Amino acid sequence: MHRRTPRSKLGMSTIKCLTQRPRENSKIAAKQQIDASDWIEGKDLGLEVLSAAPLVLSTPHELLAQHRITDKKHIFVRNVQDLAPGMTIKPLPLDGWEIELTGLIRPSRLVIRAEELLAMAQVEHEMILQCSGNGRTQYSGVKGTPWGQGGVANVRFAGVPLKAILEKHDVEVDPQVRYVTAEGHDQPANPEKPDFEHSIPVADVLERGILALSLNGEPLPGIHGGPVRLVTPGLYGTMQVKWLARLRFDAAESPTFYHATEYRVPHALLSIGEEFRFTLENSRPTWDIRLMSYIFDPPPGARLKAGPVTVSGVAYNDGKALIESVLVSVDRGRSWRAAAVEVPASPYAWYEWKTEVTLAPGTHEIWARATDALGRTQPLDGEIFWNPNGYEWSGVPRNEVTVQP
Amino acid sequence: MHRRTPRSKLGMSTIKCLTQRPRENSKIAAKQQIDASDWIEGKDLGLEVLSAAPLVLSTPHELLAQHRITDKKHIFVRNVQDLAPGMTIKPLPLDGWEIELTGLIRPSRLVIRAEELLAMAQVEHEMILQCSGNGRTQYSGVKGTPWGQGGVANVRFAGVPLKAILEKHDVEVDPQVRYVTAEGHDQPANPEKPDFEHSIPVADVLERGILALSLNGEPLPGIHGGPVRLVTPGLYGTMQVKWLARLRFDAAESPTFYHATEYRVPHALLSIGEEFRFTLENSRPTWDIRLMSYIFDPPPGARLKAGPVTVSGVAYNDGKALIESVLVSVDRGRSWRAAAVEVPASPYAWYEWKTEVTLAPGTHEIWARATDALGRTQPLDGEIFWNPNGYEWSGVPRNEVTVQP
C-alpha cells in the first residue's frame, strides 16, 4: 500500500506563491510517495514528504503556528544519512550506547557511557531547530532538497553540558583546540560515499553545547537523534549531530566532504548561478542561524474580508542579541509599523509577534522584517546571499493576500 | 594673538544633546585654543578644534550639509602624527617625492617617483572620508579625541590604481601576500613613540586602491596627505595613509602599536567599561566603514513651527551593497516612513535623503535608520558595539527638536 502525503491548504498556497518566480517547482516534492513501511509512525500526516531516502519531512506553517513548542509529531525530519534503528519516533535505548572523546585532549581517549549522563545535572534550552537549507526554493537555480519554509521548529532540548562531562572526567583540552568535530553512528548509504561529520567552534560547544537526552521533556526520539545528540543552540540543524558516536577535539576544521565542501557558504557575495569551488579558506560552515521571520497568519494566498486583519508570526536569530523589533509593511516597504513582540526566556527560542493592519479590497503583500540589537536585519531580497547550495535563506517574507470587496 | 574657534549654532546644539548622557563633555574640546601660527590658512573658521597638537579639526554638520562634495576648507583634519611641511592646505611638490615598494614582491624593492604617476591614467572615487573615532563621545567612558559627529566628509579622490603601477613595472606579488602595509613620511612626535603604519587586505587595495594625487579635482593639499596618499574607498580614514612613503607587501598584519593594538575593535561584544587587551587574533582593524546615517536637518535642539517639517540627511556604508532605504521615525520606533533616497553613482559616496514629517507642538525625537541590501542596519543603541577606544559608532541618530504651539 502506498500512502500519498496530504498537502495542506497552506502548503498549496506556499507553492502557488513560490512558482511566481522562476524556481524549482516544489510540486515535484509534494507528489513524492512513500512506502507505508518507511513512514515514521507517530508523525503527523500533514507533513510534506520532500524525499523518501534519506527521509525528509517538512512542516507546513499551519502546523507550526498551533503551538509555541513544536510537538514531536510535527517536527521536520532531515537526515543526511539514515540510521536504520533510528527511524522511529520512540526513544532508542541508552544502555550500551557509548560516546568516544578523542583528539587533542588528555587523556587522549575517553569513552562515556550514555547511561552515566542520566545521573548528571541536565540543562534545557528552548531553541530553534532549523535546517540550513530551509527556504532553498526561494533561491534561483540551486539543487538540493526543495525546502519551502517548513524545515524549522521551536523545541526544548535537555541534556548534559559537554563542559560538565570534561570536568567530571578531568579531561584537559589542549590550547591548540579550536573545533569539536562530531560524528554519529549513522553511515553513508554506500561505502563509496563520504561519511557525515561536522566541526563546531570549541568556544560555542563549551559555552552552551549539551549531550541532549530529551526533547520537549521526553526521552529523545530516534528520528531526532536519540538516544544522544550533540546540541549547541544558535547553530543550524546540520550542526546538531544525531546518534552521537564521537567527539574529536581538533586544531582544524574537518576536511571531509560534508563539512569542507557542503554545508558552507562563500565569504564573498556571488552572482546568481556563479560557479564556486568551496575551500576551508574561501567559505564558512553554516554555523550561526541567520536572523529570520515568518508570517504564519494570514498565510500566502489567503482571502480576507476588508477591515482590520491580525498579522502574526515568529522571528529568531542566533541568540547573540535581542530581537528588538519586527516591523510589518503592507505598502511594499514605504511605511512600517512595529508589531508587539514577546521576548522569550531563552535567547535561542523564537519570538512570537502580532499586529493589526487594515487592508482595503484588492491584492496586497504583507511584509515582515525583524531587527536585532546588533543592527542585523533581513535582506529585502534574500537572493543577495545566493550560494550554490542554497543555504541560509533569510529574506523578508512577503505573503500575498486578497481582500474581498 | 590667540584665535578662539567659533562654535556654530549646530555644534552647540549637538553638544547640548550629547551632554544629556553621562559622557565626556565635548565643551572641553571646543574651549581649546590654538596658536594663530599653527592654524591651517584656508580652513573654515567654523571648524571646531578638538586638539592642537597633533591638529584635530571637526566639521559641524551645518557646514557638511551645504554641499554634496565637502569643500577642502571644510574637510575635518585628523593626524596621528603631523608632518611639518604638510601643515598647509596647499599641495606639496611632487618632484623628488618617492614611494618605495617592498616586501614579498619581485623585484624585492622598487622606487616609484611620484612625478611619473601624473603621466598615468587617473581613477577618481567619490567617497566617504571618515575618522574611525567619529561619534566617540556617544560611547560611555572612552578615552581619545572627543569626536562628536564631525569627523566625516564626502570627497573626490583621484590617482593611479596600485594595480596599474604593479603592472607597469612588472612587479610580481608573491601568493603569500595578504596585506599591504602603508607608511607615511611623518614621524612620531618623539623617538620613544612607535611609528604609525597600517595594513590593508591586499585584495581591497588591488581591487580599488589608488595612489591619490588629487582631491576634489585639485592637487592634494598637504594637510590631507599630499602629494601622495594611499586611498582605498570603503575603509575608515586611518587606513588612508597620508604622505605615502612606503608600501610593504606582507604575509601578516603589521605588529606595530597603531595597527596591532590601536585602531582595532574586539571580535567579541564587550560590556561597557570592560577591560580588553588587543591582539591580532582577538580583534580586527577598523577597516570597513560601518553603515551610518545622519540627520542634518532639523539639527538637534531645533525649535520648529507646528506642521510639515522637511527632514534630510545623508547615509553611507562600506560600498559593498546598495543602501536600500532610510526610514524615519518620529514616535520612537513605533512606526517608520521611508525617505526619498538619492543613490549616488559611486557606491562609496554618501546617499542624500529627504522626507517630510508632521509634528504636533511639543518635544520630539527624530530618528533615522539606513538599511542596505545585505540586511545591515544601524543599531538602535550604538553602545552595543562599545569598545575601549570608542571606534565605529554607528547608532541610529536621534535629533531632539521642539515644536512650538
Side-chain angles (χ1 to χ4, degrees), chain B residues 67-369:
Chain B
H67 305 284
R68 165 159 190 84
I69 299 293
T70 311
D71 192 279
K72 68 179 172 191
K73 72 181 176 211
H74 291 154
I75 299 170
F76 73 98
V77 171
R78 166 65 173 126
N79 298 332
V80 172
Q81 301 171 167
D82 287 339
L83 178 75
M87 303 307 282
T88 172
I89 207 162
K90 294 188 186 124
L92 297 195
L94 271 177
D95 53 299
W97 194 276
E98 292 181 340
I99 302 121
E100 182 191 30
L101 273 54
T102 182
L104 291 167
I105 51 172
R106 277 166 202 268
S108 65
R109 184 171 178 271
L110 177 75
V111 176
I112 307 287
R113 291 180 306 105
E115 277 177 294
E116 79 174 66
L117 299 176
L118 273 182
M120 295 178 70
Q122 310 287 305
V123 167
E124 187 174 72
H125 293 292
E126 183 182 329
M127 56 180 274
I128 293 297
L129 185 66
Q130 196 217 292
C131 182
S132 48
N134 195 41
R136 176 177 289 132
T137 54
Q138 291 174 87
Y139 285 114
S140 305
V142 294
K143 289 170 189 159
T145 306
W147 282 110
Q149 298 277 1
V152 61
N154 187 56
V155 299
R156 293 187 292 119
F157 275 114
V160 180
L162 178 59
K163 198 175 179 196
I165 296 167
L166 299 183
E167 281 166 5
K168 181 185 170 192
H169 291 275
D170 277 330
V171 175
E172 199 186 318
V173 177
D174 191 283
Q176 291 179 80
V177 170
R178 292 179 60 205
Y179 305 97
V180 174
T181 300
E183 194 189 340
H185 276 293
D186 50 297
Q187 294 290 331
N190 68 63
E192 267 100 80
K193 284 192 146 190
D195 199 9
F196 178 82
E197 65 177 25
H198 272 306
S199 302
I200 304 172
V202 67
D204 290 308
V205 189
L206 292 187
E207 184 206 46
R208 61 187 191 276
I210 57 174
L211 271 60
L213 306 173
S214 90
L215 176 70
N216 297 346
E218 292 176 26
L220 183 53
I223 191 64
H224 294 303
V228 184
R229 183 172 187 175
L230 177 67
V231 168
T232 311
L235 305 189
Y236 281 110
T238 191
M239 299 296 160
Q240 321 291 6
V241 174
K242 295 176 180 126
W243 310 304
L244 191 65
R246 186 161 60 180
L247 294 173
R248 204 174 60 237
F249 291 75
D250 288 337
E253 286 181 58
S254 168
T256 57
F257 175 76
Y258 286 109
H259 186 77
T261 70
E262 290 278 297
Y263 291 103
R264 299 185 80 84
V265 290
H267 289 311
L269 296 177
L270 302 186
S271 313
I272 293 172
E274 190 174 337
E275 289 205 14
F276 190 81
R277 193 164 162 228
F278 286 90
T279 68
L280 291 172
E281 289 70 37
N282 69 13
S283 63
R284 62 166 175 77
T286 56
W287 279 326
D288 298 338
I289 296 175
R290 268 194 193 277
L291 180 67
M292 187 58 192
S293 68
Y294 301 98
I295 303 166
F296 283 163
D297 198 44
R303 300 190 150 268
L304 310 168
K305 289 180 196 158
V309 176
T310 297
V311 180
S312 64
V314 296
Y316 54 83
N317 64 1
D318 55 12
K320 290 188 178 160
L322 186 75
I323 294 179
E324 288 183 332
S325 68
V326 177
L327 300 181
V328 172
S329 176
V330 292
D331 58 8
R332 295 169 187 256
R334 283 192 294 277
S335 68
W336 299 81
R337 185 160 290 279
V341 178
E342 204 175 305
V343 178
S346 163
Y348 306 104
W350 65 28
Y351 294 56
E352 293 173 296
W353 58 265
K354 187 184 282 196
T355 191
E356 204 171 80
V357 299
T358 302
L359 297 175
T363 299
H364 302 270
E365 280 190 13
I366 305 178
W367 295 7
R369 188 174 211 174

